Amino acid sequence: MSSFSHGPFLWYATRAAGLVTLVLLTASMALGILNAGRFRTRRWPRFLVQGLHRNLSLLALAFLALHIGTTVIDTYVSIGLPDALIPFLSPYKRFWLGLGALASDLMIVLAVTSVTRLHLGHRAWRLIHWAGYLCWPVAVMHGLGTGTDHGRAWMVGLTLGCVAAVAGAAAYRAARLLPARRLAR
Amino acid sequence: MSQRLRVNPIMCAGHGMCAELLPELITLDPWGYPIIARGPVPDELTPMASRAAAACPTLALLIVEEEGR
Ligand code: HEM
Ligand code: SF4
């Protein structure tokens, strides 16, 4: 057993990658909601909002892979790849880790169906894309409940910031769409 | 072979993304719905046309291949 796979390095890497994934997923979520709320300004045309939503989602997926990879390689607690992908399989922190596995699965489904959207058709893609509203809160709860840092002031602060960002985007969208009674897509 | 742009008016929700990405061929009417320039898509614009079609939130912007005249 090398010090790499057993030492604290991977544990730090896992936590850092998890935090980055949370921030990226939050940004993607907020942009997705803003975009559906038809947010645009002179300096932020819609294709920019949508392109960022897309690219940040894919970047979040890359950090998710890192987050899972470092967790699995780390031998300090034995969490295997199946535990990371099949919700509530792992005996270690079964509930909180299970939420992480569920959010990961949803992220993968969201990304795959979006990248193949042209073949899937709009209706099916749109239906599946609603899973974003499940994915993000589940990921946030996983972050709050699982980590070494849970309960620390800065972790709670970061999470509150994430919630505020998504709530802000949702409020913008509601304010923008409700009074106009625009037809839904 | 040449390409033409079509909008499916039932699917189009007037997001206007297509006009941002392809202003050369698409303008918006006062309600935000697209007006497509007549004629085939010029060769140099086909990449941007594909991009605009893929970006349309409702996939209402279509590229149809035509036997060219
Ligand atoms: C982990 C990944 C993702 C999450 C959590 C997510 C979340 C969301 C959310 C919450 C919305 C608003 C949906 C609504 O209420 O109408 C949205 C819209 C959208 N997303 Fe995503 N998304 C993800 C990945 C992607 C990717 C990879 C693409 C790539 C093409 C994409 C393309 C879109 C588009 C085109 C919209 C529609 C905006 C509109 O209706 O105008 N998403 N997303
Ligand atoms: S991007 Fe699509 S929905 Fe928006 S105006 Fe163009 S065709 Fe219509």
Side-chain angles (χ1 to χ4, degrees):
Chain A
M1 213 177 285
S2 72
S3 65
F4 176 75
S5 61
H6 201 67
F9 169 79
L10 281 170
W11 196 236
Y12 284 109
T14 297
R15 287 156 63 194
L19 290 179
V20 175
T21 309
L22 177 65
V23 170
L24 289 171
L25 188 67
T26 298
S28 159
M29 189 71 190
L31 287 165
I33 295 171
L34 280 182
N35 195 29
R38 299 165 183 234
F39 172 84
R40 77 176 333 153
T41 68
R42 280 178 65 87
R43 298 183 57 190
W44 285 69
R46 290 218 30 196
F47 74 87
L48 186 67
V49 179
Q50 177 164 313
L52 263 181
H53 169 64
R54 179 201 153 97
N55 291 348
L56 289 183
S57 301
L58 298 178
L59 199 61
L61 209 61
F63 275 92
L64 176 68
L66 196 65
H67 180 57
I68 293 177
T70 49
T71 305
V72 169
I73 298 170
D74 192 327
T75 50
Y76 188 74
V77 281
S78 61
I79 300 170
L81 195 56
D83 302 321
L85 294 176
I86 305 171
F88 311 111
L89 183 70
S90 165
Y92 174 79
K93 297 199 178 175
R94 185 184 297 271
F95 178 68
W96 299 109
L97 210 67
L99 292 181
L102 182 62
S104 305
D105 291 345
L106 290 172
M107 270 176 80
I108 293 167
V109 167
L110 281 162
V112 169
T113 53
S114 294
V115 169
T116 56
R117 193 169 76 107
L118 283 176
H119 306 281
L120 205 63
H122 179 65
R123 199 175 292 265
W125 168 79
R126 177 136 205 98
L127 215 60
I128 296 169
H129 220 71
W130 281 100
Y133 289 102
L134 184 62
C135 175
W136 178 79
V138 169
V140 168
M141 280 165 59
H142 161 78
L144 273 181
T146 319
T148 312
D149 302 315
H150 85 101
R152 299 236 182 125
W154 61 264
M155 183 66 204
V156 174
L158 184 83
T159 307
L160 285 179
C162 288
V163 172
V166 170
Y172 171 90
R173 181 182 180 185
R176 179 95 202 263
L177 293 184
L178 285 183
R181 297 236 172 106
R182 290 242 182 89
L183 283 179
R185 276 156 296 275
Chain B
M1 285 284 269
S2 67
Q3 295 187 334
R4 270 169 207 269
L5 286 172
R6 292 261 182 286
V7 172
N8 175 341
I10 296 171
M11 292 291 283
C12 176
H15 286 269
M17 199 109 49
C18 51
E20 287 178 353
L21 286 168
L22 196 61
E24 296 88 343
L25 298 179
I26 304 177
T27 51
L28 297 180
D29 73 10
W31 297 274
Y33 286 88
I35 303 168
I36 310 255
R38 266 166 228 259
V41 178
D43 282 346
E44 69 276 13
L45 288 179
T46 51
M48 283 316 281
S50 318
R51 202 175 146 198
C56 170
T58 59
L59 299 182
L61 184 67
L62 308 171
I63 298 176
V64 286
E65 302 280 348
E66 275 186 349
E67 293 304 317
R69 256 177 298 161

